[in-house]
Amino acid sequence: DSGVTQTPKHLITATGQRVTLRCSPRSGDLSVYWYQQSLDQGLQFLIHYYNGEERAKGNILERFSAQQFPDLHSELNLSSLELGDSALYFCASSVDLSEQFFGPGTRLTVL
Amino acid sequence: EDQVTQSPEALRLQEGESSSLNCSYTVSGLRGLFWYRQDPGKGPEFLFTLYSAGEEKEKERLKATLTKKESFLHITAPKPEDSATYLCALSRTDSWGKLQFGAGTQVVVTP
């Protein structure tokens, strides 16, 4: 158990819908990262927040957005969902810029 | 453009049969090279961070090494519980914690 929690574990929804994924980092970690893992793309970096501020963006679609709240938990919002958005979404946290500890993931299925 | 290439894609070992996994990389300004282990449907589990050429780290049956162009993960006398996908990732000095992952090596250890 890494200490990073993610909810929900599974999410099934339809195309065009909007969903919110939630992440709570390890106690004391100020950085939260979001990654997407699909069979054809592997594990891809989406976005990094540090103490509430956005610090880096990867190839994150405009339909996706994230934020980190004052209590340090983070949410990833995915809108206008498409079939290709089906994937595992992982949150990771770190105390500094060294090793990142990953949560168990949210499996998103878009039908 | 940064690249992380892992080989082989898959490896099947007999219990006790030692082997090595390769992670070759090209990057301008390497800050760290990371190894993770991932079980099916679960989040990556942190194993090692290597920061400079010549550095080595060990944990139980695993040993990671780093040169200026590649990293190796040596598995000594593997057991069936070492079966997993092993991922390497790099971060750049100017990337604020973004990890770029390789596609992984799927290792199966049979009794």
Side-chain angles (χ1 to χ4, degrees):
Chain A
D1 185 353
S2 67
V4 178
T5 60
Q6 290 188 246
T7 56
K9 287 186 179 179
H10 303 279
L11 202 47
I12 301 175
T13 188
T15 54
Q17 296 298 305
R18 172 189 170 93
V19 296
T20 297
L21 313 184
R22 182 188 169 103
C23 167
S24 292
R26 296 186 315 159
S27 177
D29 286 358
L30 298 179
S31 277
V32 169
Y33 312 81
W34 286 97
Y35 290 84
Q36 179 193 57
Q37 188 174 39
S38 58
L39 284 175
D40 56 344
Q41 293 288 325
L43 200 54
Q44 299 285 322
F45 169 78
L46 294 178
I47 198 162
H48 168 209
Y49 276 84
Y50 177 81
N51 202 22
E53 291 187 11
E54 181 186 304
R55 287 305 180 112
K57 262 185 173 180
N59 294 327
I60 187 168
L61 299 171
E62 285 191 10
R63 301 183 285 109
F64 296 2
S65 65
Q67 53 183 329
Q68 186 180 27
F69 295 87
D71 67 352
L72 300 178
H73 91 272
S74 178
E75 293 181 355
L76 179 67
N77 300 295
L78 315 176
S79 61
S80 303
L81 285 168
E82 302 176 358
L83 296 177
D85 298 328
S86 296
L88 270 167
Y89 290 84
F90 291 106
C91 164
S93 74
S94 69
V95 65
D96 51 25
L97 296 181
S98 60
E99 48 267 10
Q100 298 177 19
F101 294 87
F102 282 74
T106 293
R107 181 176 294 278
L108 173 66
T109 302
V110 182
L111 302 175
Chain B
E1 186 179 327
D2 300 344
Q3 283 200 330
V4 184
T5 305
Q6 290 189 247
S7 61
E9 290 184 10
L11 191 58
R12 192 173 184 88
L13 301 170
Q14 290 280 342
E15 184 171 2
E17 178 189 0
S18 301
S19 188
S20 293
L21 315 182
N22 178 267
C23 172
S24 63
Y25 64 91
T26 55
V27 66
S28 54
L30 177 73
R31 187 179 70 78
L33 189 293
F34 301 80
W35 283 97
Y36 284 83
R37 166 199 170 118
Q38 186 176 26
D39 293 309
K42 299 200 172 179
E45 176 189 341
F46 171 75
L47 295 174
F48 305 109
T49 310
L50 302 166
Y51 290 105
S52 56
E55 191 174 358
E56 300 183 351
K57 288 194 177 171
E58 283 188 73
K59 178 181 176 180
E60 296 179 359
R61 295 176 294 283
L62 301 177
K63 179 180 175 180
T65 62
L66 182 66
T67 72
K68 288 188 178 178
K69 293 184 179 180
E70 54 193 350
S71 178
F72 293 93
L73 184 67
H74 309 277
I75 310 178
T76 302
K79 298 182 177 182
E81 53 262 42
D82 294 322
S83 298
T85 295
Y86 291 86
L87 299 164
C88 75
L90 60 81
S91 68
R92 295 166 52 108
T93 51
D94 60 351
S95 66
W96 270 97
K98 168 187 173 181
L99 291 182
Q100 180 174 350
F101 281 86
T105 294
Q106 185 178 24
V107 175
V108 174
V109 183
T110 56

